[in-house]
Amino acid sequence: VRDGTGLDEVTVSLLVAARNGDLLYDISRWGEDVGIASKATFSRTKTRMEESGVIETEKVPIDVGRPRLRLRLGDERLDVDDESEFARVARSLLAE
């Protein structure tokens, strides 16, 4: 399913999460709970977006277990307030 910007639901969810500095674990769990996609799909999409430079991750230590990954925007061109411009830039970066 597309959102009208040419970006699928998982990509849009990860972009919004990165814009807000959310954890991959939280967004992928939410996405699976509401039926958007599996955690594996979120992880694969995150990897593709990282390779394109659209998002970055930073490790966040937790008390027990593997560190969580905090999502961040990976390209300063995404630092815009206008939602349609944000979507256009993200689409062009993913197409590169």
Side-chain angles (χ1 to χ4, degrees), residues 15 18-20 53-55 72-90 92-93:
L15 282 168
R19 194 174 205 185
N20 293 315
V54 176
I55 62 173
R72 300 275 185 214
L73 294 176
D75 192 298
E76 62 188 28
R77 292 175 283 180
L78 289 165
D79 191 20
V80 295
D81 291 330
D82 181 61
E83 300 300 323
S84 61
E85 179 67 7
F86 180 75
R88 186 194 65 74
V89 171
S92 72
L93 290 171

Side-chain angles (χ1 to χ4, degrees), residues 4-81:
T5 64
L7 302 171
D8 65 47
E9 295 161 323
V10 174
T11 302
V12 169
S13 298
L14 289 169
L15 282 168
V16 171
R19 194 174 205 185
N20 293 315
D22 294 329
L23 298 177
L24 174 63
Y25 176 85
D26 293 339
I27 193 70
S28 61
R29 184 172 176 184
W30 167 82
E32 189 171 64
D33 288 350
V34 299
I36 291 175
S38 69
K39 289 180 187 176
T41 299
F42 274 89
S43 182
R44 283 190 302 272
T45 304
K46 184 266 312 170
T47 299
R48 180 178 56 87
M49 292 172 74
E50 264 187 311
E51 290 169 353
S52 297
V54 176
I55 62 173
E56 298 173 345
T57 57
E58 64 183 17
K59 290 182 179 179
V60 177
I62 57 173
D63 291 336
V64 178
R66 294 175 31 190
R68 306 274 193 230
L69 296 176
R70 182 167 311 284
L71 301 170
R72 300 275 185 214
L73 294 176
D75 192 298
E76 62 188 28
R77 292 175 283 180
L78 289 165
D79 191 20
V80 295
D81 291 330

